């Protein structure tokens, strides 16, 4: 049974290498890159929009404050005919304070304006890149599909061979193999040498060694590949 599974793996190796070749192709990489980027666009857009909302409301608050200060300043300017020196000094001081506050606010508004411009720039950048990535996605999807189609015949032939071999392998073991095949690791099944997994070199526990006597093929406790003892 193990022999058959090893034979299966040998044939499967060429299927795996076609899959690898496709996955490593420029077309696939560019397609995957575009898909990955496009998945983040909604989130990035939402972040920019929420930042814009908060900048806008800060701006409105600052502008209202500035308006109020300017009105206060004007009121002070209208007070005339005061002879008391202390009152005059107080009013002068107050007016200076107001001017200072106005200047500070204007600086803050300027800073906020810059932030808004920057945010707008990053929004435009995001939109431009999205457009590019959509085109990259479409173009490479098509190219990759063509590439896969070119390999389809070869893959079909291998799959037929695999099906034939699979008939002699108990389903339980074949399923274990197929489950592992979904991972990127290959080969999947390894012989135990002495008490060690020949994939990762870990010594198997007593429990694993006794399980293997009945189950024939088990998972290595360390690398999770399938291991067996040669009969
Ligand atoms: Zn291992």
């Amino acid at each position: 049974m193990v022999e058959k599974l090893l034979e299966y793996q040998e044939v499967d190796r060429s299927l795996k290498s076609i899959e690898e070749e496709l996955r490593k192709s420029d077309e696939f990489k560019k397609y995957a890159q575009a898909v990955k980027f496009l998945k983040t666009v909604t989130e990035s857009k939402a972040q920019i929009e929420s930042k814009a909302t908060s900048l806008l409301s800060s701006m409105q608050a600052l502008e209202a404050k500035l308006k109020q200060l300017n009105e206060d300043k004007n009121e002070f300017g209208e007070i005339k005919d005061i002879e008391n020196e202390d009152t005059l000094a107080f009013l002068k001081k107050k007016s200076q304070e107001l001017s200072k506050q106005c200047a500070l606010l204007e600086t803050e508004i300027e800073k906020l304006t810059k932030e808004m411009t920057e945010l707008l720039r990053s929004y435009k950048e995001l939109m431009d890149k999205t457009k590019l990535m959509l085109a990259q996605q479409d173009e490479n999807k098509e190219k990759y599909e063509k590439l896969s189609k070119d390999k389809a015949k070869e893959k079909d032939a291998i799959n037929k061979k695999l099906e034939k071999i699979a008939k002699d392998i108990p389903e339980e073991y074949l399923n274990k193999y197929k489950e592992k095949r979904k991972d990127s690791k290959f080969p999947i099944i390894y012989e135990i040498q002495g008490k060690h997994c020949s994939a990762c070199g870990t010594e198997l526990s007593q429990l694993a060694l006794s399980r293997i006597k009945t189950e024939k093929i088990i998972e290595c406790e360390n690398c999770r590949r399938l291991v067996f003892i040669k009969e």
Side-chain angles (χ1 to χ4, degrees):
M1 187 279 299
V2 172
E3 248 70 65
K4 274 282 160 193
L5 199 54
L6 285 171
E7 188 187 337
Y8 186 93
Q9 177 167 266
E10 266 325 288
V11 177
D12 196 17
R13 189 189 293 273
S14 34
L15 191 63
K16 179 82 183 171
S17 91
I18 295 174
E19 287 169 5
E20 290 273 289
E21 193 188 318
L22 285 171
R23 212 170 45 82
K24 282 180 182 159
S25 68
D26 251 18
E27 291 84 346
F28 183 75
K29 278 186 192 160
K30 282 184 183 161
Y31 170 71
Q33 183 200 30
V35 170
K36 199 177 159 198
F37 173 81
L38 291 168
K39 270 188 196 155
T40 67
V41 171
T42 316
E43 175 72 22
S44 309
K45 235 171 107 178
Q47 273 173 7
I48 290 176
E49 276 160 7
S50 112
K51 180 97 190 284
T53 310
S54 107
L55 282 180
L56 211 63
S57 80
S58 305
M59 185 64 116
Q60 280 162 352
L62 284 179
E63 277 171 349
K65 226 166 144 185
L66 187 65
K67 198 179 160 218
Q68 185 59 51
L69 275 177
N70 276 321
E71 279 169 12
D72 291 354
K73 238 169 69 183
N74 290 339
E75 268 176 41
F76 272 105
E78 279 162 15
I79 303 173
K80 281 169 190 157
D81 304 328
I82 292 169
E83 283 168 11
N84 185 310
E85 271 184 31
D86 283 349
T87 313
L88 265 176
F90 168 78
L91 286 176
K92 200 177 164 195
K93 203 178 156 216
K94 193 78 194 162
S95 165
Q96 276 170 348
E97 252 171 42
L98 284 174
S99 296
K100 208 172 144 193
Q101 280 181 34
C102 277
L104 279 174
L105 270 181
E106 273 160 8
T107 315
E108 267 185 73
I109 288 175
E110 210 177 297
K111 210 178 119 204
L112 218 55
T113 309
K114 270 188 194 152
E115 273 184 66
M116 279 175 153
T117 312
E118 180 57 27
L119 195 64
L120 207 66
R121 195 193 54 76
S122 59
Y123 186 76
K124 196 183 167 294
E125 215 175 79
L126 180 69
M127 290 302 106
D128 288 348
K129 195 167 178 194
T130 302
K131 214 171 140 191
L132 276 177
M133 284 297 167
L134 276 170
Q136 180 175 321
Q137 176 184 247
D138 290 349
E139 185 193 337
N140 287 282
K141 185 173 188 255
E142 209 174 295
K143 281 185 181 169
Y144 178 71
E145 274 167 1
K146 194 189 168 297
L147 208 67
S148 307
K149 220 175 141 196
D150 292 345
K151 293 278 174 194
K153 230 175 158 183
E154 213 176 317
K155 279 167 82 177
D156 281 351
I158 299 170
N159 274 321
K160 284 214 177 77
K161 261 194 220 168
L162 286 175
E163 275 167 36
K164 217 173 141 195
I165 304 169
K167 281 180 190 146
D168 297 323
I169 304 170
E171 212 181 323
E172 182 195 344
Y173 298 110
L174 195 63
N175 286 344
K176 274 189 189 181
Y177 179 93
K178 284 184 173 169
E179 192 51 41
K180 291 283 165 197
R181 180 63 159 79
K182 291 175 191 162
D183 302 340
S184 57
K185 288 176 184 166
F186 198 91
I188 292 157
I189 172 165
Y190 284 83
E191 193 183 337
I192 292 172
Q193 278 163 351
K195 288 177 179 174
H196 296 81
C197 163
S198 61
C200 69
T202 301
E203 187 178 338
L204 273 81
S205 69
Q206 276 309 315
L207 179 72
L209 289 168
S210 68
R211 269 183 57 213
I212 209 163
K213 282 187 186 121
T214 51
E215 294 175 37
K216 304 286 184 226
I217 295 171
I218 61 164
E219 235 180 43
C220 166
E221 293 151 313
N222 179 51
C223 69
R224 299 287 158 202
R225 282 166 152 128
L226 300 177
V227 288
F228 67 94
I229 292 178
K230 212 161 196 174
E231 285 142 14

